[in-house]
Amino acid sequence: MWRDESVTYQVAHRPLGELWGLLGHIDAVHGLYYLLMHAVFALWDGGLVALRMPSVLATACAAAGVAAIGARLSGRLAGTLAGLVFALLPVTQQYAQEGRSYALVTACVTWAAYAFLRGLRATGSRWWTGYGVLLALACWLHEFAALALVAHALTLWRLSVPGRVWRAWSLAAAGVTLALLPLMAVSSGQADRQLGWLGRPGLNHWLQFLAVAAVALLLSRLLSRRPGAAELVALALPLTLVPAGLLLVVSFVEPWYVDRYVLYGMTGPALLSGAALAHVVRASRRFSRPARALTACLAAGTAVAVLLPWSSQVRSPESRKDDVVAVARAVEKSARDGDAVLFMPARRREWLLSHPDLLGRLDDLALAESPAASHTLQGIERPAAEIGRRLLTADRVIALTDPEGQPLDPYPQEKVKRRILDSRFRMCARIPVHGAQVRVYIRSGNCM
């Protein structure tokens, strides 16, 4: 479990009144997801399995949706292969086993795209109603799902659809926008607290986007020569390019880009890849059976060789920024009941909030108001002078810090913690954990 999953775990376990209070202060954009997880834990408090099961099921649902879209546009073989490609993508597998909302958003956007396709030729409003409901649900799970509307508008333009279709889509899009307005009104006031940690996308983000875009454009060019591929390309290419591309461009002004925010865009490359692979399979039927078997074995072996290391890596704790379970174990081994505990910086309190029994054995001497009481994620800390006075009364302190080399917060509370520990205490142990350190300090006596 890493820190974002820990947020889901501890927030979803709060009583509904406290959860509602939190959403008025921060994380309204994840509010529906927290409520869903609150219901999951009320039905079955199954720890990490329960935390991640909705994402697993949602990813399976999204893969089925990709297969359904591919089958409708390019045939059953292409659909099956597209669903398999989507399921095998390392980024899909990463968020399939993470307790956050991104897999659910992807499932909703994918099936909304299926309803969108059915609506293109339908005469009634049934499919457009389903499209609007699914996309509104996706947006309430994460607002940036609304960028799919822009991609779908580009699809309609590329297909030169009649005015009747434009009108039906516009009504559905207006319904999605209206449904999203209350969430936008609340979350806009939380934007600084919600996204203030983000920096502008670096070169690696742009290179990743350009690599995916290049593959999608190449596949689109190859498929465009095939009869009946126009709809596939018109749907898949905008989904690949528009949501991520728009967020990257906007991030020149407001840094809002994180690849998982637009995870649903990976359905585009999967659809294109499925159609291309189906074409290769059909073309191979001209060859003898032994040649086809050899080619299939070589292709499968290459896929395993390329994907297996990535798939293994995204299932390891090292694929995340930290590991709160490992941090808690290190604290449990090092701490004694009644020891003082300091979180440096204060937002690292998240490392123990999902282990309340362990945290309850320690004296959180900087904490003025608990997360639940203050309707915040990590609580409110005391003024710097008071933290300093309380710290000087402690004999043994467990300090949870970022790894060596990380930038230090400039706030007065953090400065006083560092200054007093360095000048009045002696460090007896430093236990490195993935993404964290657990340090043991004493003020007097020996380290035993």
Side-chain angles (χ1 to χ4, degrees):
M1 189 197 298
W2 75 293
R3 68 183 72 155
D4 278 14
E5 288 185 295
S6 178
V7 170
T8 300
Y9 188 85
Q10 58 99 358
V11 167
H13 277 85
R14 296 188 189 185
L16 283 176
E18 293 177 3
L19 177 52
W20 189 255
L22 169 75
L23 300 180
H25 179 77
I26 196 171
D27 260 8
V29 68
H30 298 301
L32 181 60
Y33 177 67
Y34 290 153
L35 290 169
L36 169 66
M37 294 308 301
H38 181 88
V40 169
F41 287 124
L43 292 171
W44 173 48
D45 200 348
L48 269 174
V49 177
L51 177 68
R52 291 174 173 167
M53 187 58 70
S55 294
V56 175
L57 297 175
T59 301
C61 186
V66 172
I69 293 171
R72 184 161 189 84
L73 294 177
S74 305
R76 192 170 293 178
L77 175 62
T80 302
L81 291 170
L84 287 171
V85 168
F86 176 78
L88 289 172
L89 290 173
V91 68
T92 301
Q93 295 181 37
Q94 177 172 345
Y95 294 106
Q97 40 97 40
E98 182 161 304
R100 297 297 278 175
S101 65
Y102 310 110
L104 280 81
V105 173
T106 301
C108 290
V109 172
T110 301
W111 282 101
Y114 179 81
F116 172 85
L117 283 176
R118 296 298 300 266
L120 293 180
R121 290 184 173 81
T123 55
S125 60
R126 179 168 60 110
W127 287 107
W128 290 112
T129 300
Y131 169 79
V133 169
L134 285 167
L135 208 49
L137 181 59
C139 291
W140 269 84
L141 287 166
H142 199 283
E143 283 174 294
F144 289 160
L147 295 172
L149 285 171
V150 184
H152 294 158
L154 186 57
T155 297
L156 296 178
W157 175 75
R158 283 175 61 91
L159 292 176
S160 302
V161 298
R164 171 187 60 81
V165 175
W166 273 110
R167 286 190 294 273
W169 175 82
S170 298
L171 283 173
V176 172
T177 305
L178 287 173
L180 188 57
L181 283 178
L183 179 60
M184 291 174 62
V186 175
S187 63
S188 61
Q190 302 176 358
D192 290 342
R193 295 188 296 274
Q194 191 74 47
L195 300 171
W197 61 275
L198 283 173
R200 285 182 171 77
L203 179 61
N204 61 319
H205 296 108
W206 281 99
L207 290 176
Q208 289 170 8
F209 171 72
L210 291 174
V212 172
V215 170
L217 287 167
L218 177 62
L219 291 174
S220 297
R221 184 65 181 268
L222 294 174
L223 290 170
S224 64
R225 301 170 186 171
R226 305 290 302 166
E231 277 193 350
L232 174 70
V233 172
L235 177 71
L237 197 56
L239 272 174
T240 305
L241 302 179
V242 171
L246 280 177
L247 270 192
L248 281 166
V249 171
V250 167
S251 292
F252 282 119
V253 180
E254 292 286 347
W256 288 352
Y257 177 79
V258 180
D259 57 357
R260 59 182 178 266
Y261 292 172
V262 287
L263 175 66
Y264 57 85
M266 296 309 295
T267 58
L271 287 166
L272 295 169
S273 299
L277 288 171
H279 172 61
V280 171
V281 170
R282 293 186 187 107
S284 70
R285 290 171 181 165
R286 296 195 300 266
F287 301 102
S288 65
R289 183 172 294 179
R292 292 201 304 271
L294 177 61
T295 302
C297 289
L298 288 173
T302 302
V304 169
V306 171
L307 292 172
L308 186 59
W310 286 359
S311 296
S312 299
Q313 199 272 336
V314 299
R315 284 168 169 76
S316 69
E318 288 71 31
S319 67
R320 306 305 199 269
K321 291 181 180 179
D322 52 20
D323 181 354
V324 302
V325 175
V327 172
R329 286 174 180 158
V331 171
E332 192 166 23
K333 289 179 181 178
S334 307
R336 303 168 186 169
D337 287 357
D339 278 354
V341 63
L342 281 179
F343 299 93
M344 303 166 59
R347 58 184 176 275
R348 298 298 174 251
R349 187 169 282 103
E350 190 56 59
W351 285 336
L352 292 189
L353 286 177
S354 52
H355 295 78
D357 292 341
L358 174 59
L359 185 57
R361 291 165 41 196
L362 306 173
D363 179 14
D364 192 348
L365 53 80
L367 186 66
E369 200 171 356
S370 72
S374 61
H375 301 310
T376 60
L377 292 176
Q378 285 91 31
I380 296 175
E381 294 210 331
R382 304 174 192 273
E386 189 175 351
I387 292 174
R389 287 193 298 270
R390 289 174 60 84
L391 182 52
L392 288 172
T393 65
D395 290 322
R396 197 168 187 271
V397 177
I398 307 296
L400 279 66
T401 73
D402 286 331
E404 297 285 354
Q406 293 296 309
L408 301 175
D409 279 23
Y411 309 122
Q413 289 97 327
E414 303 304 329
K415 287 182 177 180
V416 77
K417 295 174 191 175
R418 295 194 296 264
R419 178 174 58 80
I420 293 180
L421 284 177
D422 290 343
S423 62
R424 302 294 186 91
F425 285 77
R426 179 156 55 100
M427 186 169 67
C428 290
R430 183 177 69 85
I431 306 162
V433 185
H434 174 59
Q437 292 184 93
V438 178
R439 298 182 178 185
V440 181
Y441 289 88
I442 63 166
R443 193 156 59 91
S444 60
N446 58 48
C447 288
M448 297 301 292

mmCIF file of all heavy atoms in Angstrom, residues 369-404:
data_model
loop_
_atom_site.group_PDB
_atom_site.id
_atom_site.type_symbol
_atom_site.label_atom_id
_atom_site.label_comp_id
_atom_site.label_asym_id
_atom_site.label_seq_id
_atom_site.Cartn_x
_atom_site.Cartn_y
_atom_site.Cartn_z
ATOM 1 N N GLU A 369 -4.794 18.880 16.111
ATOM 2 C CA GLU A 369 -6.160 18.441 15.824
ATOM 3 C C GLU A 369 -6.088 17.275 14.849
ATOM 4 O O GLU A 369 -5.394 17.352 13.827
ATOM 5 C CB GLU A 369 -6.964 19.604 15.228
ATOM 6 C CG GLU A 369 -8.457 19.427 15.334
ATOM 7 C CD GLU A 369 -9.223 20.693 14.932
ATOM 8 O OE1 GLU A 369 -8.572 21.716 14.649
ATOM 9 O OE2 GLU A 369 -10.463 20.629 14.911
ATOM 10 N N SER A 370 -6.774 16.208 15.154
ATOM 11 C CA SER A 370 -6.695 14.987 14.348
ATOM 12 C C SER A 370 -7.272 15.221 12.956
ATOM 13 O O SER A 370 -8.055 16.151 12.738
ATOM 14 C CB SER A 370 -7.449 13.860 15.036
ATOM 15 O OG SER A 370 -8.851 14.097 14.956
ATOM 16 N N PRO A 371 -6.911 14.357 11.992
ATOM 17 C CA PRO A 371 -7.485 14.488 10.650
ATOM 18 C C PRO A 371 -9.014 14.466 10.651
ATOM 19 O O PRO A 371 -9.653 15.269 9.965
ATOM 20 C CB PRO A 371 -6.901 13.290 9.898
ATOM 21 C CG PRO A 371 -5.617 13.009 10.592
ATOM 22 C CD PRO A 371 -5.878 13.311 12.034
ATOM 23 N N ALA A 372 -9.602 13.564 11.408
ATOM 24 C CA ALA A 372 -11.066 13.464 11.428
ATOM 25 C C ALA A 372 -11.687 14.715 12.031
ATOM 26 O O ALA A 372 -12.663 15.267 11.495
ATOM 27 C CB ALA A 372 -11.494 12.229 12.203
ATOM 28 N N ALA A 373 -11.135 15.192 13.146
ATOM 29 C CA ALA A 373 -11.715 16.359 13.814
ATOM 30 C C ALA A 373 -11.539 17.635 13.004
ATOM 31 O O ALA A 373 -12.392 18.524 13.040
ATOM 32 C CB ALA A 373 -11.072 16.534 15.191
ATOM 33 N N SER A 374 -10.445 17.736 12.258
ATOM 34 C CA SER A 374 -10.160 18.955 11.489
ATOM 35 C C SER A 374 -10.681 18.887 10.058
ATOM 36 O O SER A 374 -10.530 19.835 9.292
ATOM 37 C CB SER A 374 -8.653 19.203 11.454
ATOM 38 O OG SER A 374 -7.973 18.120 10.826
ATOM 39 N N HIS A 375 -11.297 17.744 9.690
ATOM 40 C CA HIS A 375 -11.802 17.542 8.320
ATOM 41 C C HIS A 375 -10.691 17.734 7.297
ATOM 42 O O HIS A 375 -10.882 18.360 6.247
ATOM 43 C CB HIS A 375 -12.971 18.480 8.015
ATOM 44 C CG HIS A 375 -14.132 18.317 8.938
ATOM 45 N ND1 HIS A 375 -14.690 17.092 9.226
ATOM 46 C CD2 HIS A 375 -14.836 19.226 9.657
ATOM 47 C CE1 HIS A 375 -15.697 17.249 10.071
ATOM 48 N NE2 HIS A 375 -15.797 18.523 10.365
ATOM 49 N N THR A 376 -9.507 17.198 7.611
ATOM 50 C CA THR A 376 -8.364 17.261 6.703
ATOM 51 C C THR A 376 -7.847 15.846 6.485
ATOM 52 O O THR A 376 -8.326 14.887 7.101
ATOM 53 C CB THR A 376 -7.243 18.136 7.283
ATOM 54 O OG1 THR A 376 -6.811 17.561 8.531
ATOM 55 C CG2 THR A 376 -7.710 19.570 7.515
ATOM 56 N N LEU A 377 -6.857 15.712 5.613
ATOM 57 C CA LEU A 377 -6.294 14.401 5.342
ATOM 58 C C LEU A 377 -5.244 14.000 6.375
ATOM 59 O O LEU A 377 -5.173 12.838 6.773
ATOM 60 C CB LEU A 377 -5.666 14.374 3.938
ATOM 61 C CG LEU A 377 -6.640 14.470 2.768
ATOM 62 C CD1 LEU A 377 -5.884 14.524 1.456
ATOM 63 C CD2 LEU A 377 -7.615 13.294 2.772
ATOM 64 N N GLN A 378 -4.397 14.948 6.803
ATOM 65 C CA GLN A 378 -3.313 14.613 7.722
ATOM 66 C C GLN A 378 -3.371 15.345 9.057
ATOM 67 O O GLN A 378 -2.445 15.241 9.851
ATOM 68 C CB GLN A 378 -1.953 14.905 7.065
ATOM 69 C CG GLN A 378 -1.541 13.883 6.019
ATOM 70 C CD GLN A 378 -2.007 14.256 4.626
ATOM 71 O OE1 GLN A 378 -2.124 15.442 4.306
ATOM 72 N NE2 GLN A 378 -2.277 13.268 3.802
ATOM 73 N N GLY A 379 -4.427 16.091 9.330
ATOM 74 C CA GLY A 379 -4.537 16.786 10.600
ATOM 75 C C GLY A 379 -3.867 18.153 10.587
ATOM 76 O O GLY A 379 -3.265 18.567 9.590
ATOM 77 N N ILE A 380 -3.978 18.852 11.705
ATOM 78 C CA ILE A 380 -3.395 20.189 11.853
ATOM 79 C C ILE A 380 -2.357 20.140 12.969
ATOM 80 O O ILE A 380 -2.614 19.612 14.054
ATOM 81 C CB ILE A 380 -4.479 21.234 12.180
ATOM 82 C CG1 ILE A 380 -5.464 21.338 11.006
ATOM 83 C CG2 ILE A 380 -3.859 22.595 12.482
ATOM 84 C CD1 ILE A 380 -6.637 22.240 11.267
ATOM 85 N N GLU A 381 -1.180 20.690 12.696
ATOM 86 C CA GLU A 381 -0.101 20.654 13.676
ATOM 87 C C GLU A 381 -0.063 21.928 14.522
ATOM 88 O O GLU A 381 -0.597 22.970 14.150
ATOM 89 C CB GLU A 381 1.243 20.441 12.976
ATOM 90 C CG GLU A 381 1.351 19.070 12.316
ATOM 91 C CD GLU A 381 2.763 18.542 12.271
ATOM 92 O OE1 GLU A 381 3.706 19.370 12.222
ATOM 93 O OE2 GLU A 381 2.940 17.298 12.276
ATOM 94 N N ARG A 382 0.585 21.831 15.680
ATOM 95 C CA ARG A 382 0.718 22.952 16.605
ATOM 96 C C ARG A 382 1.661 24.005 16.035
ATOM 97 O O ARG A 382 2.417 23.730 15.102
ATOM 98 C CB ARG A 382 1.273 22.440 17.944
ATOM 99 C CG ARG A 382 0.450 21.339 18.582
ATOM 100 C CD ARG A 382 1.154 20.797 19.824
ATOM 101 N NE ARG A 382 0.504 19.557 20.278
ATOM 102 C CZ ARG A 382 -0.531 19.535 21.104
ATOM 103 N NH1 ARG A 382 -1.040 20.663 21.570
ATOM 104 N NH2 ARG A 382 -1.072 18.377 21.474
ATOM 105 N N PRO A 383 1.664 25.209 16.609
ATOM 106 C CA PRO A 383 2.643 26.226 16.203
ATOM 107 C C PRO A 383 4.066 25.746 16.493
ATOM 108 O O PRO A 383 4.293 24.888 17.356
ATOM 109 C CB PRO A 383 2.279 27.441 17.062
ATOM 110 C CG PRO A 383 0.870 27.204 17.485
ATOM 111 C CD PRO A 383 0.701 25.720 17.590
ATOM 112 N N ALA A 384 5.023 26.338 15.806
ATOM 113 C CA ALA A 384 6.414 25.895 15.915
ATOM 114 C C ALA A 384 6.926 25.963 17.347
ATOM 115 O O ALA A 384 7.584 25.026 17.834
ATOM 116 C CB ALA A 384 7.293 26.738 14.988
ATOM 117 N N ALA A 385 6.641 27.054 18.050
ATOM 118 C CA ALA A 385 7.156 27.208 19.416
ATOM 119 C C ALA A 385 6.622 26.118 20.331
ATOM 120 O O ALA A 385 7.357 25.563 21.170
ATOM 121 C CB ALA A 385 6.790 28.590 19.954
ATOM 122 N N GLU A 386 5.360 25.767 20.182
ATOM 123 C CA GLU A 386 4.777 24.726 21.030
ATOM 124 C C GLU A 386 5.344 23.358 20.696
ATOM 125 O O GLU A 386 5.592 22.538 21.595
ATOM 126 C CB GLU A 386 3.252 24.728 20.887
ATOM 127 C CG GLU A 386 2.551 23.833 21.887
ATOM 128 C CD GLU A 386 1.037 23.946 21.815
ATOM 129 O OE1 GLU A 386 0.528 24.841 21.103
ATOM 130 O OE2 GLU A 386 0.377 23.125 22.478
ATOM 131 N N ILE A 387 5.567 23.102 19.413
ATOM 132 C CA ILE A 387 6.207 21.839 19.032
ATOM 133 C C ILE A 387 7.586 21.740 19.681
ATOM 134 O O ILE A 387 7.974 20.699 20.214
ATOM 135 C CB ILE A 387 6.320 21.725 17.491
ATOM 136 C CG1 ILE A 387 4.926 21.569 16.865
ATOM 137 C CG2 ILE A 387 7.194 20.536 17.096
ATOM 138 C CD1 ILE A 387 4.930 21.591 15.354
ATOM 139 N N GLY A 388 8.331 22.856 19.645
ATOM 140 C CA GLY A 388 9.654 22.858 20.250
ATOM 141 C C GLY A 388 9.616 22.571 21.739
ATOM 142 O O GLY A 388 10.416 21.772 22.253
ATOM 143 N N ARG A 389 8.677 23.184 22.456
ATOM 144 C CA ARG A 389 8.569 22.955 23.898
ATOM 145 C C ARG A 389 8.213 21.503 24.198
ATOM 146 O O ARG A 389 8.785 20.877 25.095
ATOM 147 C CB ARG A 389 7.519 23.893 24.510
ATOM 148 C CG ARG A 389 7.968 25.353 24.598
ATOM 149 C CD ARG A 389 7.040 26.156 25.493
ATOM 150 N NE ARG A 389 5.669 26.193 24.991
ATOM 151 C CZ ARG A 389 5.202 27.113 24.162
ATOM 152 N NH1 ARG A 389 6.014 28.079 23.709
ATOM 153 N NH2 ARG A 389 3.939 27.092 23.765
ATOM 154 N N ARG A 390 7.276 20.955 23.463
ATOM 155 C CA ARG A 390 6.858 19.571 23.701
ATOM 156 C C ARG A 390 7.977 18.588 23.342
ATOM 157 O O ARG A 390 8.156 17.567 24.011
ATOM 158 C CB ARG A 390 5.596 19.251 22.901
ATOM 159 C CG ARG A 390 4.343 19.939 23.437
ATOM 160 C CD ARG A 390 3.137 19.698 22.517
ATOM 161 N NE ARG A 390 2.821 18.291 22.381
ATOM 162 C CZ ARG A 390 2.083 17.573 23.224
ATOM 163 N NH1 ARG A 390 1.604 18.148 24.319
ATOM 164 N NH2 ARG A 390 1.850 16.304 23.002
ATOM 165 N N LEU A 391 8.717 18.906 22.299
ATOM 166 C CA LEU A 391 9.802 18.017 21.878
ATOM 167 C C LEU A 391 10.889 17.933 22.953
ATOM 168 O O LEU A 391 11.480 16.865 23.185
ATOM 169 C CB LEU A 391 10.381 18.511 20.554
ATOM 170 C CG LEU A 391 11.512 17.697 19.909
ATOM 171 C CD1 LEU A 391 11.127 16.229 19.784
ATOM 172 C CD2 LEU A 391 11.851 18.274 18.535
ATOM 173 N N LEU A 392 11.133 19.050 23.635
ATOM 174 C CA LEU A 392 12.175 19.074 24.669
ATOM 175 C C LEU A 392 11.790 18.281 25.915
ATOM 176 O O LEU A 392 12.628 18.036 26.772
ATOM 177 C CB LEU A 392 12.498 20.521 25.043
ATOM 178 C CG LEU A 392 13.274 21.307 23.979
ATOM 179 C CD1 LEU A 392 13.373 22.769 24.356
ATOM 180 C CD2 LEU A 392 14.667 20.703 23.773
ATOM 181 N N THR A 393 10.526 17.895 26.032
ATOM 182 C CA THR A 393 10.107 17.071 27.181
ATOM 183 C C THR A 393 10.195 15.576 26.867
ATOM 184 O O THR A 393 9.984 14.755 27.760
ATOM 185 C CB THR A 393 8.659 17.400 27.582
ATOM 186 O OG1 THR A 393 7.770 17.017 26.523
ATOM 187 C CG2 THR A 393 8.505 18.889 27.866
ATOM 188 N N ALA A 394 10.463 15.223 25.609
ATOM 189 C CA ALA A 394 10.505 13.817 25.207
ATOM 190 C C ALA A 394 11.907 13.259 25.426
ATOM 191 O O ALA A 394 12.917 13.958 25.298
ATOM 192 C CB ALA A 394 10.111 13.678 23.740
ATOM 193 N N ASP A 395 11.982 11.983 25.774
ATOM 194 C CA ASP A 395 13.271 11.311 25.931
ATOM 195 C C ASP A 395 13.626 10.459 24.721
ATOM 196 O O ASP A 395 14.802 10.293 24.396
ATOM 197 C CB ASP A 395 13.252 10.419 27.182
ATOM 198 C CG ASP A 395 13.227 11.236 28.466
ATOM 199 O OD1 ASP A 395 13.904 12.282 28.506
ATOM 200 O OD2 ASP A 395 12.512 10.844 29.404
ATOM 201 N N ARG A 396 12.606 9.933 24.058
ATOM 202 C CA ARG A 396 12.854 9.044 22.907
ATOM 203 C C ARG A 396 11.861 9.402 21.814
ATOM 204 O O ARG A 396 10.660 9.487 22.059
ATOM 205 C CB ARG A 396 12.701 7.582 23.320
ATOM 206 C CG ARG A 396 13.297 6.574 22.366
ATOM 207 C CD ARG A 396 13.345 5.189 23.025
ATOM 208 N NE ARG A 396 14.060 4.226 22.211
ATOM 209 C CZ ARG A 396 13.502 3.455 21.274
ATOM 210 N NH1 ARG A 396 12.193 3.546 21.044
ATOM 211 N NH2 ARG A 396 14.232 2.594 20.574
ATOM 212 N N VAL A 397 12.376 9.619 20.602
ATOM 213 C CA VAL A 397 11.550 10.104 19.495
ATOM 214 C C VAL A 397 11.742 9.197 18.281
ATOM 215 O O VAL A 397 12.882 8.879 17.896
ATOM 216 C CB VAL A 397 11.923 11.561 19.109
ATOM 217 C CG1 VAL A 397 11.091 12.020 17.903
ATOM 218 C CG2 VAL A 397 11.725 12.492 20.287
ATOM 219 N N ILE A 398 10.629 8.809 17.690
ATOM 220 C CA ILE A 398 10.633 8.112 16.393
ATOM 221 C C ILE A 398 10.302 9.164 15.338
ATOM 222 O O ILE A 398 9.205 9.740 15.370
ATOM 223 C CB ILE A 398 9.596 6.976 16.357
ATOM 224 C CG1 ILE A 398 9.776 6.029 17.555
ATOM 225 C CG2 ILE A 398 9.683 6.221 15.032
ATOM 226 C CD1 ILE A 398 11.083 5.295 17.572
ATOM 227 N N ALA A 399 11.229 9.426 14.436
ATOM 228 C CA ALA A 399 11.023 10.428 13.377
ATOM 229 C C ALA A 399 10.860 9.725 12.035
ATOM 230 O O ALA A 399 11.710 8.912 11.650
ATOM 231 C CB ALA A 399 12.194 11.408 13.328
ATOM 232 N N LEU A 400 9.767 10.022 11.360
ATOM 233 C CA LEU A 400 9.511 9.462 10.033
ATOM 234 C C LEU A 400 9.795 10.548 9.000
ATOM 235 O O LEU A 400 9.130 11.590 8.992
ATOM 236 C CB LEU A 400 8.067 8.978 9.915
ATOM 237 C CG LEU A 400 7.765 7.594 10.507
ATOM 238 C CD1 LEU A 400 7.934 7.577 12.008
ATOM 239 C CD2 LEU A 400 6.357 7.144 10.128
ATOM 240 N N THR A 401 10.783 10.299 8.141
ATOM 241 C CA THR A 401 11.250 11.326 7.214
ATOM 242 C C THR A 401 11.323 10.779 5.799
ATOM 243 O O THR A 401 11.305 9.562 5.577
ATOM 244 C CB THR A 401 12.647 11.841 7.616
ATOM 245 O OG1 THR A 401 13.632 10.838 7.306
ATOM 246 C CG2 THR A 401 12.723 12.148 9.108
ATOM 247 N N ASP A 402 11.430 11.698 4.849
ATOM 248 C CA ASP A 402 11.693 11.305 3.465
ATOM 249 C C ASP A 402 13.105 10.751 3.346
ATOM 250 O O ASP A 402 13.951 10.987 4.222
ATOM 251 C CB ASP A 402 11.531 12.520 2.540
ATOM 252 C CG ASP A 402 10.073 12.907 2.332
ATOM 253 O OD1 ASP A 402 9.218 12.008 2.404
ATOM 254 O OD2 ASP A 402 9.793 14.091 2.099
ATOM 255 N N PRO A 403 13.407 10.040 2.247
ATOM 256 C CA PRO A 403 14.768 9.530 2.059
ATOM 257 C C PRO A 403 15.792 10.660 1.972
ATOM 258 O O PRO A 403 15.444 11.824 1.743
ATOM 259 C CB PRO A 403 14.676 8.764 0.735
ATOM 260 C CG PRO A 403 13.227 8.485 0.536
ATOM 261 C CD PRO A 403 12.496 9.622 1.171
ATOM 262 N N GLU A 404 17.047 10.306 2.138
ATOM 263 C CA GLU A 404 18.130 11.280 2.012
ATOM 264 C C GLU A 404 18.089 11.937 0.639
ATOM 265 O O GLU A 404 17.811 11.293 -0.371
ATOM 266 C CB GLU A 404 19.493 10.588 2.201
ATOM 267 C CG GLU A 404 19.695 9.976 3.570
ATOM 268 C CD GLU A 404 19.980 11.007 4.642
ATOM 269 O OE1 GLU A 404 20.130 12.196 4.302
ATOM 270 O OE2 GLU A 404 20.036 10.633 5.823
#
